[in-house]
Amino acid sequence: DSGVTQTPKHLITATGQRVTLRCSPRSGDLSVYWYQQSLDQGLQFLIQYYNGEERAKGNILERFSAQQFPDLHSELNLSSLELGDSALYFCASSTSGSHSLEQFFGPGTRLTVL
Amino acid sequence: QKEVEQDPGPLSVPEGAIVSLNCTYSNSAFQYFMWYRQYSRKGPELLMYTYSSGNKEDGRFTAQVDKSSKYISLFIRDSQPSDSATYLCAMSADNNDMRFGAGTRLTVKP
């Protein structure tokens, strides 16, 4: 158990809808990272937050947004969902503000868009 | 061509075998190299990381980096059924924005 929690575990929704994925980092970790894992694209970095501020951006679509709250939990918002957004979404955390090599991953949220 | 290429397998070996997992890459700026292990229905966990070229050993695992060939390897000695998982290589140029391989699915049969 990495200490990173993600909810929900599974999410099934329809095209055009909006969903929110939630992540709680390990105790003491200030950085949260979001990743998307799909069969055809592999694991892709989406975005990083450090202590409430956006720190780095990867291949995140404009339809997606994230934020980190004062208690350090983070939410990833996905809107105008398309079939291709079906994937595993992982959250990871680290102590460092830089894009730490040692990241601890949560169990993921499996999103299915029908 | 993808920045990081990794054969997805699947790879099946008998217990006790030496396993060799590999990735190639095209970006010569990469200097941080990682291997993650991902069990089914779990998030990836960091196994090893190396900086620049060379070898690094940790128990039954050895990571090798050959920057001149843009090629990295992970060797698993005396493989165990508990090593059955997907192994992902990852790389970074400046400690930002890691790029992952597609992952190799390994099965170690008792």
Side-chain angles (χ1 to χ4, degrees):
Chain A
D1 185 359
S2 67
V4 178
T5 59
Q6 288 186 250
T7 56
K9 286 186 179 178
H10 303 277
L11 200 48
I12 300 175
T13 188
T15 55
Q17 295 298 305
R18 173 190 169 95
V19 297
T20 297
L21 313 183
R22 183 188 169 104
C23 167
S24 292
R26 290 188 323 157
S27 177
D29 284 357
L30 299 178
S31 271
V32 168
Y33 310 80
W34 285 98
Y35 291 86
Q36 180 192 60
Q37 187 175 41
S38 60
L39 283 175
D40 57 341
Q41 295 290 328
L43 193 62
Q44 291 206 63
F45 166 66
L46 296 178
I47 197 165
Q48 177 201 359
Y49 276 81
Y50 175 76
N51 204 21
E53 300 289 328
E54 183 184 304
R55 181 59 66 99
K57 238 177 182 178
N59 297 324
I60 188 165
L61 299 171
E62 284 191 13
R63 300 184 285 110
F64 297 0
S65 65
Q67 53 185 328
Q68 186 178 28
F69 295 87
D71 68 351
L72 301 177
H73 91 270
S74 178
E75 293 181 354
L76 179 67
N77 300 295
L78 314 176
S79 62
S80 302
L81 285 167
E82 302 174 359
L83 295 177
D85 297 328
S86 295
L88 268 170
Y89 290 84
F90 287 105
C91 165
S93 74
S94 72
T95 54
S96 170
S98 63
H99 200 103
S100 173
L101 302 178
E102 189 160 21
Q103 299 178 22
F104 297 86
F105 282 77
T109 292
R110 182 173 293 278
L111 174 66
T112 302
V113 182
L114 301 175
Chain B
Q1 184 189 8
K2 291 183 179 178
E3 261 189 310
V4 181
E5 298 276 3
Q6 183 176 12
D7 186 341
L11 181 62
S12 181
V13 301
E15 183 175 353
I18 296 175
V19 176
S20 172
L21 304 167
N22 312 293
C23 288
T24 59
Y25 61 95
S26 57
N27 188 347
S28 57
F30 287 147
Q31 52 183 343
Y32 299 91
F33 304 93
M34 285 71 67
W35 285 96
Y36 281 81
R37 177 175 62 195
Q38 185 174 17
Y39 290 114
S40 181
R41 301 180 189 280
K42 300 281 188 182
E45 56 176 326
L46 180 65
L47 269 180
M48 300 181 70
Y49 76 87
T50 54
Y51 172 72
S52 195
S53 284
N55 295 357
K56 187 172 184 178
E57 190 173 319
D58 184 2
R60 296 185 295 111
F61 298 88
T62 300
Q64 287 185 353
V65 175
D66 182 348
K67 290 189 72 179
S68 62
S69 302
K70 297 190 180 70
Y71 187 88
I72 71 169
S73 302
L74 178 71
F75 297 96
I76 307 174
R77 290 185 299 281
D78 187 25
S79 56
Q80 302 295 310
S82 59
D83 295 328
S84 298
T86 296
Y87 290 80
L88 301 141
C89 63
M91 309 175 188
S92 178
D94 55 0
N95 208 20
N96 288 298
D97 192 8
M98 284 197 290
R99 302 299 173 108
F100 285 82
T104 299
R105 190 170 175 182
L106 171 68
T107 300
V108 181
K109 295 185 175 180

